[in-house]
Amino acid sequence: MLHKAVKVRVYPTPEQQVLLSQHFGCARWWWNYALNKSIETYKKPEKASVNQHLIPSYPHIKKAEETLWLSECYVTAKFCKQQRSI
């Protein structure tokens, strides 16, 4: 199998830089949250699937007061869809 790589340089406008920063921050937060939940689930004796607990809890997490900023980003919704397909 031949793998190719393409290097691309992007020059976003200041508004796009803010939007990209928000989306990358949301994706990073959700990844770390999911990783933490995975580790906690692994340490439990019953070892249930992490996806069983993460995906249904996502709407509640987005609506919580301290994580209300997550609802501004599309990235986390896309991440959830990818997690379901795994």
Side-chain angles (χ1 to χ4, degrees), residues 23-74:
H23 280 68
F24 290 145
C26 287
R28 183 176 54 247
W29 184 90
W30 182 253
W31 176 264
N32 289 333
Y33 179 82
L35 180 63
N36 186 38
K37 289 294 181 187
S38 297
I39 292 170
E40 288 176 2
T41 303
Y42 181 75
K43 289 179 181 179
K44 289 181 182 177
E46 62 268 3
K47 294 188 181 174
S49 172
V50 176
N51 285 342
Q52 287 178 332
H53 302 291
L54 276 180
I55 303 303
S57 67
Y58 178 69
H60 302 294
I61 293 168
K62 265 177 51 173
K63 293 175 184 172
E65 183 77 26
E66 62 273 1
T67 56
L68 198 56
W69 52 272
L70 281 173
S71 61
E72 299 172 3
C73 293
Y74 174 72

Side-chain angles (χ1 to χ4, degrees), residues 16-28:
Q16 290 171 331
Q17 287 177 350
V18 170
L19 192 63
L20 286 170
S21 178
Q22 286 175 341
H23 280 68
F24 290 145
C26 287
R28 183 176 54 247

